[in-house]
Every structure is written in C-alpha cells, then in structure tokens.
Amino acid sequence: MLAAMPPSSPNPQDRGEAHIRDRVRERGDACPGALRLHRADDGSLARLRLPTGVLTPRQVLALADAADRLGDGHLSLTSRGNVELRGLGEGCGLGLADLLRQADLLPSERHERVRNMVVSPLAGPGVQTWAARLDALLCAEEWTTELSGRFLFAVDDGRGDVAALAADVTLLAAPDGSALLRVADRTWRVAADDAPRAALAAAEAFLAAARRAGTGAWRVRELPAGQDVDVTQHLRRAAVAAEPAPDAAPPTGGPPPPGVIGDGTVSVLARLGRVSSAQFRALLPAAEVRVTPWRGFVLPGFPTRAAAEERLRALDGAGFLTRTDSPWIGVTACTGRPGCAKSLSDVRADARPRADALPVHWSGCARRCGHPQGAWTDMVATGEGAYQMTVQGPTR
C-alpha cells in the first residue's frame, strides 16, 4: 500500500522538461508566506516554512491557537512540509506575525519565504543539525532573499526519502560519514561539517547562473538548456573542500509508514493533508512533532514501544491515518471550493479512495495543483460533483 503514496508535486502539472526550460518569467514570485498572505475565496492564506520540520510542543499549541483565533480552525500540510492557515480575516497579519515571533517561528521577516527545506523525518541529531545550520546561514545573508519562494533544499539522512523530492539543492548523508551535495545531475563529496556551507554555496551558484540566463528562473530545472551552474567555483570561494563524486544509483527509501517505527517512534498521516486544531493539539504530549512532506507527522522519543502503541491508538481515535492498509493512503486533493475561485467543485468533499493500485488525486480544475509525482489516477472536476478520470505520468 505504501507504494501508492509517492511525494506530491508542489507545482501545477508540467507540460514537459522542454517547456520548463524554455520558460521566461516576466514577474516576481508571488508564493505566499507567513507575512505575505494570499487572498483566497475563503479568506487569506498564510504559509509557514518549517526548515527542520520540527515543532516544539509550545509551537504546536501556538499554531493551533492561531487557527482558532485568526483562521478557520484547521491547518493544512503541504508537499514541502509547510503548514498553512486558511480563512484568515482582514487585518490579522500583524497579530499573526506577533504570534509567530513569540513562538520562535519567525527568525527573520526578510527571509521567511526562502527557508524552504525538506528533511528526512526519521533523521538523527547530525542531519537535523545540518538543517538547522543551513537555515541559520540562509537567514544571515542578505543575498539569499533573492531566492524564489519555490527554491527547495533537501537534507537527507541517507535513506533516500527526501532526496527523491526533486529539490534544487540536496544534501545526502553518505555511509562513510561525509556528505554528498547534488545539484541537477552532478554530485560533489564534502566533509560533514561543511555540508550546510556547501548547500548555501550551491544556492549562490544557481543565482549567478539565473542572472546570466536572464530568464527569471526560480528553480534549477528552469534554467535554459546548456546553462551551467558553476557549483565548483562557488564551493572554492566559500573555502569548502569538495571533489566530484562518481555517479551512483541514489538510495530509494520511501516515506515513513503509519504506525510504530522501531521501539519508540509514532508516524501518522493527515487525511487529505488537513487537520482540525483539536487534532493538531492531540499530537501532544510529545517531545517534539515532526511535519513530513507526505502530509503527516512523526513523533519520536517514546520511552517504550508500548507507550508508542498507546499513543498511536489515541491518534487513531482522533482521526489520523495510523495503518498501512488504510484506503485513504495515496488519496490527495487540491483545495477546491470554497477556498479556490478556479475550482469547479468541492473537491475535498468529493474525494474518496479508488480500488486501483495507483495514487488518486482529485483536482478542482485542469491546473491539478498538488498532484503526485510518478503515475497517478487523475480526477479532474468538469462541473459540480462531476469528474473526468485519466491516468497521468509514466505507466511503466
């Protein structure tokens, strides 16, 4: 069943690699953030980046309170491990910013939209430290504000889970204790202690390449064909010792399955990537809550497997997906009505599992926002409650 839960694409359906590389962007990135709110049909939307993916208990409670006081009482999870608040009223921006600052969720107002990072949810302290240091470096440099709100870093603990999410810059823990830096189809080996600085240098190399291209590219894959990203030169400027790494088959680990992992870690999924504030609070007590890019949560640190199993039962009762045989695993949907003016139907109300083995994505219009990667069953609204079904993506 887990094979039916691939990562979701953060972009509307692409029309092929050539189309992406031929694109010329004539306007800036309008991707929403915690301070730059997006006006939707159901109110404003705030998107909060969580670079390490980790929330403390105090931050969980703060976000649940924000959903109740300022929004529609729910939180949405994105395919990048972000948390969204919807239904925000007019004039709530200052209040939301104050709440986020008090919860230590807004370290830099100028950098809050560029702190895009996915981290292996089961990562240990070493890889988590990479992510935290990279986030601090991003917030410390003025030039990083030029990155698009869609430019993505992945920090992978070696199992290959987030390395498969098509990030622009990927750090991958290597078995020998070093780090692999990947940009496009090239890889460099660097010392583990240098990994965060290496990722930052790679991002600066992308910006330099984007300026030379002059196409307004937001991501590495949007650079024109033949446009080099001179990562080696920028690593040298940053005094990061690196050597090219030979091509090798990347690890292909998948997302953490729902259930108890090991002796003391709980993993659950949110149905259609949305939870009520009450469900969000039900994740506690926990030492920390890790938000995953597969629209779920990982709770590490339970003292015994029995304690973890008891918490899993409680979360099942709260409405989370806790079993690998749940028919809702692999079912995703866009926002739909009433949140999106382009949607032709109330997609979340219409969405349901299907009997076929492929993931199924329900879309309110042909943009197919949030669709999975790979192959999936595509349900696109053609009217109120009416859908056209096709199979999208590679089928073999």
Side-chain angles (χ1 to χ4, degrees):
M1 179 63 72
L2 288 189
M5 191 175 66
S8 294
S9 167
N11 304 312
Q13 187 181 34
D14 294 324
R15 288 178 286 164
E17 189 71 15
H19 167 72
I20 293 171
R21 293 192 179 277
D22 288 342
R23 175 183 293 158
V24 176
R25 295 196 180 274
E26 298 178 350
R27 60 179 181 175
D29 173 27
C31 195
L35 301 180
R36 179 189 287 184
L37 305 186
H38 170 71
R39 294 290 297 276
D41 270 21
D42 59 347
S44 293
L45 175 152
R47 181 175 298 159
L48 178 64
R49 272 74 172 177
L50 304 175
T52 64
V54 176
L55 291 171
T56 66
R58 181 170 69 95
Q59 291 170 335
V60 169
L61 294 175
L63 289 176
D65 290 346
D68 285 337
R69 288 168 37 203
L70 304 174
D72 63 3
H74 290 78
L75 301 100
S76 298
L77 309 180
T78 78
S79 60
R80 292 182 165 198
N82 303 149
V83 172
E84 291 182 347
L85 299 170
R86 300 190 67 96
L88 299 170
E90 293 284 345
C92 74
L94 291 177
L96 177 61
D98 286 343
L99 185 152
L100 296 177
R101 286 192 204 95
Q102 292 170 14
D104 297 323
L105 288 168
L106 194 62
S108 171
E109 294 186 3
R110 285 185 51 74
H111 296 82
E112 60 96 7
R113 291 195 316 127
V114 303
R115 301 168 68 224
N116 289 306
M117 203 180 307
V118 286
V119 183
S120 295
L122 300 178
V127 169
Q128 281 287 333
T129 298
W130 284 358
R133 286 176 53 200
L134 176 55
D135 182 39
L137 291 171
L138 282 170
C139 292
E141 296 288 346
E142 184 62 27
W143 63 262
T144 56
T145 61
E146 299 176 37
L147 292 170
S148 159
R150 302 169 195 252
F151 190 89
L152 182 65
F153 296 89
V155 183
D156 194 296
D157 66 358
R159 72 188 69 230
D161 51 3
V162 297
L165 298 184
D168 298 282
V169 175
T170 298
L171 288 176
L172 184 73
D176 64 359
S178 66
L180 298 176
L181 172 71
R182 290 181 175 166
V183 180
D185 58 353
R186 299 176 63 190
T187 304
W188 295 260
R189 187 180 302 276
V190 301
D193 286 346
D194 290 336
R197 290 194 301 121
L200 188 75
E204 189 171 22
F206 160 75
L207 283 179
R211 292 190 197 100
R212 290 194 299 271
T215 59
W218 293 344
R219 305 195 62 190
V220 170
R221 65 178 185 163
E222 293 180 3
L223 291 171
Q227 179 65 62
D228 182 46
V229 181
D230 194 350
V231 175
T232 299
Q233 179 185 16
H234 282 79
L235 288 171
R236 191 177 300 118
R237 288 179 180 175
V240 174
E243 59 182 19
D247 292 336
T252 55
V260 175
I261 301 173
D263 290 332
T265 297
V266 170
S267 174
V268 297
L269 298 171
R271 178 169 159 173
L272 297 180
R274 191 158 166 82
V275 295
S276 68
S277 59
Q279 284 179 299
F280 203 53
R281 293 186 183 95
L283 294 167
L284 302 178
E288 64 184 31
V289 173
R290 299 187 180 186
V291 183
T292 82
W294 300 281
R295 298 180 173 92
F297 302 97
V298 166
L299 314 179
F302 288 93
T304 64
R305 185 175 182 88
E309 289 174 344
E310 180 179 359
R311 172 47 56 85
L312 187 69
R313 288 191 292 271
L315 294 175
D316 183 80
F320 289 97
L321 306 183
T322 62
R323 297 168 55 94
T324 57
D325 60 358
S326 169
W328 284 95
I329 293 179
V331 182
T332 55
C334 70
T335 297
R337 289 182 180 171
C340 179
K342 296 182 182 295
S343 180
L344 301 177
S345 190
D346 185 347
V347 173
R348 292 183 183 275
D350 298 338
R352 61 189 183 276
R354 291 184 55 84
D356 50 37
L358 291 177
V360 56
H361 184 71
W362 297 75
S363 303
C365 73
R367 295 187 305 163
R368 298 173 171 85
C369 294
H371 70 77
Q373 295 176 359
W376 78 94
T377 299
D378 192 42
M379 304 294 293
V380 176
T382 57
E384 188 65 51
Y387 290 81
Q388 179 179 359
M389 184 186 77
T390 58
V391 173
Q392 296 285 341
T395 57
R396 61 180 178 180

